[in-house]
């Protein structure tokens, strides 16, 4: 196994992590920004007001996109295992 192979595997693994994490992070970012703007406009400074909506929306996003995430991850693992004989040479 060459350094180029390892680099390609690591690049595809990092791309997979980013591809799976982006939807959850974006939804959390949008909700957090919306709540922060609401807090600024209404002068409410409660810490739980930002935490609770973000955690609820994050869990809801995981429930909705969980099937897609697991399908992508299992496809990646199947591809890695199917090419395993190429990696040990």
């Amino acid at each position: 196994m060459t350094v180029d192979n390892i680099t390609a595997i690591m690049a595809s693994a990092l791309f997979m992590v980013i591809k799976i994490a982006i939807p959850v992070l974006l939804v959390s970012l949008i909700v957090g920004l919306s709540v922060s703007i609401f807090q600024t406009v209404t002068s409410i400074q409660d810490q739980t007001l930002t935490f609770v909506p973000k955690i609820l929306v994050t869990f809801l996003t995981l429930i909705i996109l969980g099937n897609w995430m697991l399908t992508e991850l299992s496809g990646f693992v199947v591809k890695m295992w199917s090419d395993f004989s190429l990696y040990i040479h």
Side-chain angles (χ1 to χ4, degrees):
M1 181 173 228
T2 65
V3 175
D4 293 333
N5 289 345
I6 295 171
T7 305
I9 292 170
M10 290 303 296
S12 63
L14 287 174
F15 178 72
M16 180 62 61
V17 168
I18 291 170
K19 184 172 138 180
I20 289 176
I22 285 291
V24 176
L25 293 175
L26 281 178
V27 168
S28 178
L29 174 75
I30 291 169
V31 169
L33 187 63
S34 302
V35 170
S36 295
I37 291 171
F38 175 75
Q39 281 182 319
T40 303
V41 169
T42 60
S43 298
I44 297 173
Q45 297 302 323
D46 187 18
Q47 294 298 323
T48 58
L49 189 59
T50 58
F51 179 73
V52 173
K54 278 173 43 175
I55 201 79
L56 289 175
V57 169
T58 301
F59 283 140
L60 184 64
T61 305
L62 286 173
I63 289 170
I64 292 170
L65 295 178
N67 186 30
W68 172 76
M69 291 174 167
L70 288 175
T71 303
E72 291 291 320
L73 277 175
S74 64
F76 179 74
V77 170
V78 166
K79 183 183 179 310
M80 287 292 115
W81 278 106
S82 66
D83 294 343
F84 190 72
S85 63
L86 300 174
Y87 303 141
I88 57 176
H89 289 279

